[in-house]
Amino acid sequence: MRTLLKRGKRWLYLAHRWLGILTCLLFVTWFVSGLVMMYVGFPSLTETERRGSLPRLAWDQVVVTPREALEAAGQTRFPRDLQLSMLDREPVYRIVGWDGGQATVSAAERRPITGVDAEQALSVARHDRRAQQPRLLGKVDRDQWSVTARYDPLRPFHLITLGDPDDTRLYVSARTGQIALDTTGGERFWNWFGAIPHWIYLTPLRAQVEMWRDVILWVSGVAIIGAVTGLWVGLLRVRLRRRYASGSVSPYRGWAALHHIGGLLGGLTLLTFVASGWLSMNPNRWFGPRAPSQAMHERYAGVTAPRWDLELAAVHATACSDVVEVRFAWLGGEPQAVLSCQDGSTLVCCSSAAQPAPPAVSRLATAAQQLLPGVPIREAALLTEEDAYWYSHYLQRRLPVLRVKFADPDATWFHIDPTTGEVLNRADRSSRTYRWLFNAPHSFDFWFLLQRRPVWDAVLWLLSAAGLIISVSGVVIGWRRLSGVR
C-alpha cells in the first residue's frame, strides 16, 4: 500500500507539472483577456444603434399590406418576425422565418428585393446618425467580427466606414440591405486582447461551430484537471504546524514558492473560473434552452396563418410622427402593431377602438397560459425592480416585466414585456441552475456587487490578480523546466 501511495503521489506530481506547462500560458491569457472583457465586449449592433440608423417611415408610399407581403415572400405560416421600415428611400417589409431565413419585400410595389448593390448600401449607411463621410471599403463574406452563424442569412456584406471619430464600420447585407453589425476602432483593437483570445475566437475555427465547441470543452477540461492536481499537490506539500527547516510552510523557494503559496490562496478561485467557463459551453446539453420554442410562440400568438387582419390606416392614425419601424404580430388571437419612434418610445396599436394601448396584464397572463397548455400558472407578478434572475449586466433588461411561473415539473418561468406583449425569455430549473453555476462564479454578477459597481470591479481585479500570480509563476517554472534552467 505504501508503494502504491508513493507511485500515485509521483504520478500526481508529474501530471501537474506537465499539465501546468501545457495550460499556464492559457490561464495567463484567460485572466488578462477577462479583465479586458469587463470593459469592452465583442462587437454587436444594439437596438439603440439599429434604430438610430433608420430613417422615418414614408407612410405615403406604403400600399402593400402585411398579408400581401407574406404572400409575395411565399410564407405559409405567420413568421417569427415581420417588420415595416425603410430601405434607404423605399419602405419595405422585412420577414424572418422560423428557419432563420430572411426575405425583403417592397411595401410600395409588392416586389421581392433579392439584392442591394454597393451604391444603395452606401445610401443606407448615410442615414446612420454617426455618419460623417461614409466610404465603401469593399465586400466581405465572413471576417473576424461577423464570424458567427447568426449572420449567415444576410451574407455577404458591404463594409462601409462612417468616417466618424470612433472609426465606426457598418456591415450592410448585400441580400436585404439591412445593417447587421457595427464595430468601432476601439472595439476592434481591444477585442484582440479580450474576447478573441478568451473565447479562442479564431475565424476559421469559430466558423465551424461544433468543432469550436469541442475545442473549448477539451482545452478547458484539461485546464480543470491541471488546476485540480495543482490544488491537491499544494495541500500535500504545505506544513502549517511542523514547518520545514527554513521555517516556511512551503518546501519551495523563489518562483516555485510563489506558485505554491499563491496556489493555496487563489487556487480555488482559478479552479472556479475555469470550471464555470467549461460549463458555459453547456456540456452534454445539461441545461435547457433559454428561448421559447416555435410551438410556444405560435400558441401564445393564437394564429399561425400568414395574415394580419387590421387596416394599415388604423396603424398610421395612431403612429408617432417620427415612427421608424412597425412590428406586426398576434397576441392571443388578436393582431397588434408595435411602433418604434425615433426618440426611443414605443406605441402599441390597436384595441377595438383603434387607440394605442398596451395589452393589459390580465390579458397577457391569459395568453401566457397557452405557452404551456394544461399546466396551471403558479404565479404571475409584475416586476418593477431587478432581482437575482432579471438584472442588467452587459445586457440591458427591460423593466417593468411580467414574470409568469408555471407549476410544471421543470418549474418554468417566462418573462414578458408588459408594453408590447413580447416573450423575452424562458427560464426552467436547469437554466436557473446555470445562472448560479456559470454566471455567478464566472462574472460575479451578484446583485449586491452589481449595485455597487466599483466594488464589483475591485473584487474581480483582486481575484484575477490571484489567478495571475499562480499562472505567471507557472509559466516561469515551466519555461525553466523546458530550458534546463534551475
Side-chain angles (χ1 to χ4, degrees):
M1 180 62 69
R2 185 175 298 175
T3 301
L4 286 174
L5 287 174
K6 278 188 174 182
R7 287 183 178 176
K9 190 180 291 186
R10 173 170 171 74
W11 280 108
L12 174 65
Y13 292 164
L14 286 173
H16 177 62
R17 175 186 297 166
W18 293 106
L19 284 172
I21 289 173
L22 284 173
T23 61
C24 268
L25 195 55
L26 272 173
F27 280 119
V28 172
T29 302
W30 282 335
F31 278 111
V32 172
S33 59
L35 289 171
V36 173
M37 291 176 68
M38 288 169 58
Y39 306 101
V40 183
F42 196 73
S44 64
L45 186 70
T46 67
E47 191 66 10
T48 301
E49 291 168 340
R50 189 186 68 82
R51 288 184 181 177
S53 67
L54 294 174
R56 293 185 183 184
L57 186 60
W59 277 108
D60 58 328
Q61 297 182 44
V62 179
V63 296
V64 179
T65 66
R67 184 197 292 259
E68 291 170 337
L70 293 173
E71 289 175 357
Q75 297 290 313
T76 58
R77 302 178 78 85
F78 196 86
R80 186 171 68 187
D81 195 24
L82 174 61
Q83 307 171 20
L84 174 64
S85 60
M86 297 295 288
L87 172 55
D88 191 17
R89 296 180 178 83
E90 180 180 16
V92 295
Y93 287 97
R94 300 194 183 279
I95 302 163
V96 181
W98 290 106
D99 61 355
Q102 301 203 23
T104 304
V105 176
S106 169
E109 301 176 2
R110 195 178 174 179
R111 166 179 50 86
I113 295 172
T114 57
V116 171
D117 61 27
E119 196 57 42
Q120 191 172 15
L122 201 54
S123 295
V124 168
R126 290 191 182 100
H127 292 287
D128 193 288
R129 294 175 183 173
R130 298 164 292 183
Q132 294 187 10
Q133 293 180 326
R135 180 168 53 87
L136 185 69
L137 296 179
K139 204 171 186 178
V140 296
D141 184 69
R142 186 190 303 269
D143 66 3
Q144 182 64 61
W145 317 113
S146 61
V147 67
T148 57
R150 70 171 176 267
Y151 298 115
D152 288 351
L154 301 172
R155 302 184 197 278
F157 301 103
H158 296 291
L159 184 59
I160 297 170
T161 178
L162 296 183
D164 62 325
D166 291 331
D167 190 19
T168 305
R169 296 178 182 178
L170 301 184
Y171 289 68
V172 180
S173 171
R175 291 188 183 183
T176 66
Q178 67 194 88
I179 298 173
L181 172 66
D182 69 349
T183 69
T184 65
E187 287 175 333
R188 294 191 299 275
F189 174 80
W190 284 109
N191 265 273
W192 288 105
F193 306 95
I196 294 172
H198 197 84
W199 296 337
I200 315 180
Y201 239 49
L202 305 175
T203 305
L205 176 62
R206 184 59 183 87
Q208 308 296 322
V209 179
E210 289 304 315
M211 183 186 296
W212 170 75
R213 182 175 180 275
D214 288 342
V215 167
I216 297 295
L217 284 170
W218 279 102
V219 168
S220 55
V222 170
I224 290 172
I225 298 173
V228 169
T229 56
L231 202 55
W232 193 350
V233 168
L235 291 172
L236 288 176
R237 297 294 282 165
V238 70
R239 290 184 183 178
L240 297 177
R241 293 183 179 178
R242 189 170 58 87
R243 299 195 175 190
Y244 291 94
S246 64
S248 172
V249 298
S250 172
Y252 305 109
R253 296 180 180 178
W255 283 100
L258 183 64
H259 187 70
H260 185 203
I261 302 301
L264 291 171
L265 296 175
L268 191 59
T269 295
L270 184 145
L271 178 60
T272 299
F273 274 131
V274 70
S276 58
W278 180 76
L279 285 171
S280 72
M281 302 307 296
N282 194 6
N284 298 316
R285 315 296 183 191
W286 288 331
F287 307 105
R290 284 171 283 180
S293 66
Q294 176 184 345
M296 290 176 177
H297 275 297
E298 291 189 330
R299 288 195 300 265
Y300 179 72
V303 171
T304 59
R307 60 187 178 85
W308 195 79
D309 293 345
L310 282 177
E311 294 291 333
L312 282 175
V315 180
H316 187 192
T318 60
C320 47
S321 60
D322 59 351
V323 62
V324 295
E325 182 180 75
V326 184
R327 292 186 177 221
F328 302 94
W330 291 87
L331 176 58
E334 296 184 18
Q336 72 169 23
V338 179
L339 301 98
S340 301
C341 309
Q342 271 185 338
D343 63 359
S345 61
T346 299
L347 297 174
V348 179
C349 174
C350 298
S351 66
S352 56
Q355 293 297 321
V361 169
S362 58
R363 178 188 166 202
L364 290 177
T366 301
Q369 181 66 72
Q370 299 306 310
L371 291 166
L372 292 178
V375 178
I377 292 177
R378 183 162 58 85
E379 180 186 348
L382 191 66
L383 302 183
T384 57
E385 296 181 353
E386 296 180 356
D387 65 8
Y389 293 99
W390 190 259
Y391 58 95
S392 297
H393 185 56
Y394 300 123
L395 175 67
Q396 188 65 36
R397 295 292 192 183
R398 302 184 202 176
L399 282 174
V401 68
L402 178 65
R403 176 180 289 163
V404 182
K405 299 181 179 180
F406 283 83
D408 61 312
D410 292 328
T412 306
W413 299 359
F414 292 93
H415 291 95
I416 300 173
D417 187 332
T419 302
T420 65
E422 178 186 357
V423 181
L424 301 176
N425 83 341
R426 159 192 180 186
D428 60 14
R429 185 179 286 110
S430 71
S431 61
R432 293 194 296 277
T433 302
Y434 177 87
R435 182 259 180 279
W436 295 111
L437 293 180
F438 166 62
N439 297 97
H442 205 76
S443 301
F444 272 69
D445 52 2
F446 299 103
W447 179 238
F448 63 91
L449 289 178
L450 294 179
Q451 287 293 91
R452 300 164 179 82
R453 179 58 195 266
V455 177
W456 177 82
D457 291 73
V459 168
L460 278 181
W461 274 91
L462 181 64
L463 294 175
S464 297
L468 280 169
I469 289 172
I470 301 168
S471 48
V472 169
S473 60
V475 169
V476 174
I477 294 168
W479 174 254
R480 288 181 171 181
R481 167 67 61 173
L482 293 175
S483 62
V485 178
R486 296 295 181 182

